[in-house]
Amino acid sequence: MEEDSKRGEGELETRVLEKVGEVIAAVKKAKHVDQVICSLHSIASLLFHIDSSLLSGTIDQQYRDQVLSAKVPSADERDDWWHAFYRGPAFLTLARFLLLDVAPNWLPCFPFSAQKHAYDIFFVNGLAAEVVQTLVPCLQQGGTDGIDINAVHSNAERLVVLCLVDNNGVLQMAREFGVSFLSNDSTYEWLRPTFSRVAQLLASVPDKARLRAPTSLSSHLFFKQVTIQLLSGSEERAANFFEKSVTLDKSELDGTLLFVGETFSRICRRGSSDVLLSELVPRVLRHVQSFLLSNSDAALTEVFESNPGSQVWSKLMEAVKDPYAVERMAEQLLHQLATEHVSDVEAYWLIWLLFHQIFNHQTSIRSMFVDKFLLWKIFPICCLQWILQFAVFGCPSVADPPSKDHETRGLVDTVQRLVAVWSKREFVQSATMEQQAYVTAAVGLCLEKMSKKELDKTKNAMHLILQGVSCRLENPNHLVRKMASTVALMFSRVIDPKNPLYLDDSLSGEVIDWEFGLTSTNKENLLTSNLPQGNLDETKTSTTSVPEKDLKCITNNEMLNNKKHRKNKSFEFKLVDPDEIVDPATLNYQSVSDEDDDNASENSDSSSDSSLQPYDLLDDDNDLKRKLSQLVDVVAALRKTDDADGVEGALDVAEKLVRASPDELKHVASDLVKTLVQVRCYDVALEGEEESAEEKRQRALVALVVTCPFESLDTLNKLLYSPNVDVSQRIMVLDIMTEAAQELANTKTMKPKHQTSALISTISDTQPWFLPSSAGPLGASAWKEVSVTGTLLNWSNCYERELPPKPGQINRGKTRRWSLRSANMQGNQMEWSHNKFPLYAAAFMLPAMQGFDKERHGVDLLERDFIVLGKLIYMLGICIKCASMHPEASALAPALLDMLSSREVCHHKEAYVRRAVLFAASCVLVALHPSYVASALVEGNLELSNGLEWVRTWALHVADSDTDKECYTLAMSCLQIHAEMALQASRALESAESTFKSTRVGLPSNLSLGTIKIPHSNLQY
């Protein structure tokens, strides 16, 4: 019986194939479009139910009778012909003929009704899977002789839109594949390649469509329509299961879900997971919300597991076999939920509904949630909480948290893995600030749910937590230290809930800000360091178009061991008259009077009656204190650390005595510098006035370096690497040198110009002899000097005055005279001198750079004391910038570049040091004059050429691979400055070449040894 059935199917398939051959032959012989329509109608009437009268009105009378008299088979015969046509080779043969032959040659002549019922019907009413496998390859059909390939592509795109979008062809495919498979059914394995092939073709449609294709074939719109149809098919399948009371847990995946899962995998691979989840999330969320309104939390698990409509979503994710697609869907799901601001309970149950099945049965999915999503990905904090609730705690967030002694699934193992990564110093050095904040929040949230008993079960979590807190407290970044304080607080609450440990004043409240001030939506405002606020010398050159604030990466105010930051104030000093006579004895009174200047006007009214006011007769010894008026007395007072009042008084007058520049200054400068550095202000100052004492000391030291540079710098450079000072004192020394360099660079001194004496005395005249005579008509104005243009050399000066109008004249007249001298001579008697720093630049920089890489007793800049190294490099960058456009900068730049290019410095593990190197390199580029760079290349100065090329290549490397966001920003700024410097240097070289050519002098042959590259150009100089 079965053999007869197969024999009958084979005979029918042969008849169908013969009929297709007859139609193709008739179309090829046709001379008129009506003949083609009649031929196609002859086979279409055997496959589909067609109203022939719809075609009769579009063709001539001689063909109309043929169409109307066509034989119409019964419904059963038509169904057999349909299956034989689409499941055999007949459809593929006819379809290729319709797409490649009929479409370019005859289809434009078809009337609309004929195109619909005699051409499109073969694709619209056919087997959707077979139609897709035939249509989609034609979207990129190669050109052959005699075929209008544009017509083929246009028709294929039209049919794809018609079949898959307008007529829900994707939903039809899902229905076709929607059969239940038993575990021993061989059909399952036979259809799996079909699922994969059809899904691949479906996902490739946007890529194969032409640029001028319909907009519905664009990636976003097409995948949106496909997703909507597939989700509708899944919900329709779930409804069928609900009607039949089928439990999906007891059956295998059916064809609909397998096809949907395979297509979703392909869509995610194409980068459109956001489109997919934008349609998936609202449907699942509505389903979850409907159950939350009608059920209690305790019974939700049983309700979801027994409901086929809920099970279909779990099975849908189980059908997605591609791990990458599952990961992309999970990531996009979390971001989508965060964007829609769903509640914690809704988010938990939605994630549970989609992923709990594969989370329990697939190791890779568990690893994705508890490892990759906690350690290597970055999500908003709300998403992190949902991940922990689902994958670690195993329960939704509720108003009353569970007891501390509860056993949480995987909590101990998760904490062990988190702190193992979090505690490593390499993680602090290499991870981005967002990554560190995210992992810190994960550790803190887990500790918040732990009990002392659970913490004791871990292997070495306590030791690792303490290690991680310790290495972060040493970090110069305030945000990193705050992370350590937060974890320390949560750890102390686990150990002893009654005695929490507060290392940061901002953590006094019960609510912890696990975002640490960072937001995922505004990463541009990431605070990776405290930028210095002091202004440098505003050197404006043609090579600096990048704002200087982009280069300031090293703070001037950070101290170690959580000391309070000293307030950095900018000082404006009055011009010093070198002939002024100052009484040092009066300086210590001025410091007191300065504090009372603001109140002087308020008390002026009552000062005249002060003799009538009662006053205290008790002696407070203030008038008996010794007035310090000599620097040697200041040094002696500072050394008496047991006399707090004496030290404070010495600090009050030290700066003003130093700035008075007494004769003894050069002799006591070294001792005074050493004493000021070693004095402990926090030990001698009153409580609450420590910062004030620190500021006075720092101002005094800056004044010493400014007024007596060589002696002071010699002592400071010795103290910098001395084993007798601590890290905070080294940082203070560098801060002092930085501020002193800036002050020297901004110094302005007024002095008289050197001018030759006048040959003719003008004692008796009221005006200089060289001015024109004041004689003239009544009402004439005074003479004014005016500029004259049009001549290269002016041997005389021009003066002009207005004359009164003559009778009948409307406008006032003017007259001019010439003189050999300028009337502005009196205003030019004084001149300004700028930037005194270059004279002392070498004394600032060279001793500090010498031996920085040597490890001494108590000094290890490359490893332990990396903060001092960063401050040192920052100070050197400020110094080279203060010498901008000066020959001294050109002399010091190669040595500084050599220091920066050493591997231990430029590739330092700490981002703090790398930022300082980028800043200093940018300062070098700003400081060098383009003409010097050009002359160095002409002279073959390989040291400078190699240094500048290193800056370019290293900045490119940092911009490409550095994980620190601030380093990336500084590297891009450095590259921009380098490009502008190179452009200016190339212009200087071109000018030099033209000069040499005009004088017939050739450039040196070693010019090619030094090269300088300009970005976005093929030129090298």
Side-chain angles (χ1 to χ4, degrees), residues 992-1004:
E993 289 178 0
S994 61
T995 303
F996 286 138
K997 288 179 181 179
S998 63
T999 57
R1000 298 182 179 179
V1001 178
L1003 290 175

Side-chain angles (χ1 to χ4, degrees), residues 23 83 90 155 179 197 206 234 287 395 450 457 479 668 678 766:
V23 170
H83 282 89
N155 181 60
V179 292
R197 183 168 59 253
S234 301
H287 182 80
C395 61
M450 288 193 76
K457 293 181 180 179
L479 192 57
V668 300
Q678 293 179 344
T766 57

